[in-house]
Amino acid sequence: MKLSEKKRLQIVTAAESLFASQGVEATSMDQVSSLAEVSKRTVYNHFATKGELFQAVLEAMFAKVDQGKQFQFTSDCSIESQLMEIAAQEVELLTSPAFLKIAKVAFMQMLQDANLANSLNGQSVGCLRFFEQFLSDAVKAEVLTVDDVSLAAKQFVYQLKSLLFYPLLYGISSKDELNVDYLVLETVKLFLARYQK
């Protein structure tokens, strides 16, 4: 690794730590340079603004997150078991320390920056990378009846988020306190009650 790349990594790592512990707004470039053990000029040589640095931190954090495999619908297996597998993988992502850390860093900043909120809202993360296609294929196979695939995909994910992700993000519950298997099963049953043929 070149010295320039090493210094950039030090800056991003330091900023990630500071943004997670005290928020983006409360973090100064001086603090970043001090923790990264580089000059303030070096920080600005790599990142002209704190906004640029924040984007680099988010990209680095997302790169550490295992989003799991992309599922394709198959008629060889029951729709319920496929949805259970997708939901279980989504829960692994939503409740992972790495993903929760991103959320804590990003959410506070999103309240300050509408452009960031729109940018993050437009990203497909986790099962939303493939779930609309999965549902479309299940509809073509006449296993599900879904008029609005995009809405159905969001309903599935947002149900899991509301039951599992947000309680952890806001510190309302710990993962040990949540009955994950039961909540996954009930989410799938509710989805099938609405959309199964």
Side-chain angles (χ1 to χ4, degrees):
M1 181 184 290
K2 292 178 182 175
L3 182 61
S4 173
E5 292 170 353
K6 186 178 177 185
K7 286 185 184 281
R8 186 183 192 282
L9 181 59
Q10 286 173 229
I11 293 163
V12 170
T13 302
E16 179 183 326
S17 175
L18 290 165
F19 291 167
S21 63
Q22 61 191 34
V24 178
E25 291 301 314
T27 298
S28 69
M29 295 297 245
D30 283 325
Q31 290 173 311
V32 173
S33 70
S34 176
L35 187 60
E37 298 179 343
V38 299
S39 70
K40 190 172 175 182
R41 181 176 179 173
T42 300
V43 173
Y44 279 108
N45 283 342
H46 286 277
F47 305 100
T49 65
K50 192 162 55 167
E52 282 184 22
L53 176 56
F54 178 68
Q55 286 293 341
V57 166
L58 282 185
E59 287 169 18
M61 292 175 82
F62 269 115
K64 296 176 196 169
V65 172
D66 178 7
Q67 295 193 49
K69 69 176 186 176
Q70 297 197 33
F71 289 83
Q72 291 184 327
F73 172 78
T74 176
S75 53
D76 299 340
C77 198
S78 76
I79 187 67
E80 182 176 3
S81 65
Q82 291 178 76
L83 289 172
M84 286 291 292
E85 199 173 350
I86 292 168
Q89 178 176 279
E90 189 70 4
V91 168
E92 279 301 308
L93 169 66
L94 294 175
T95 62
S96 70
F99 191 79
L100 287 164
K101 188 176 181 184
I102 292 171
K104 285 176 182 172
V105 168
F107 273 31
M108 288 303 294
Q109 194 60 20
M110 279 169 33
L111 296 174
Q112 310 286 329
D113 184 351
N115 291 330
L116 173 64
N118 289 332
S119 167
L120 291 177
N121 194 40
Q123 287 186 355
S124 293
V125 177
C127 74
L128 287 177
R129 295 169 299 147
F130 62 84
F131 199 45
E132 286 187 26
Q133 185 61 54
F134 177 94
L135 294 177
S136 294
D137 292 343
V139 169
K140 284 178 194 162
E142 299 184 351
V143 174
L144 298 177
T145 303
V146 182
D147 293 326
D148 188 336
V149 168
S150 179
L151 175 63
K154 288 174 184 168
Q155 287 173 326
F156 185 80
V157 173
Y158 293 172
Q159 175 82 1
L160 293 171
K161 280 187 172 182
S162 66
L163 295 171
L164 295 157
F165 170 68
Y166 289 114
L168 293 176
L169 180 65
Y170 300 138
I172 298 166
S173 305
S174 69
K175 192 170 180 181
D176 293 337
E177 294 172 319
L178 297 169
N179 191 342
V180 174
D181 293 340
Y182 174 72
L183 294 174
V184 166
L185 176 62
E186 289 302 308
T187 296
V188 170
K189 283 165 66 176
L190 181 64
F191 188 83
L192 289 175
R194 170 64 181 89
Y195 293 114
Q196 191 167 27
K197 224 169 175 160

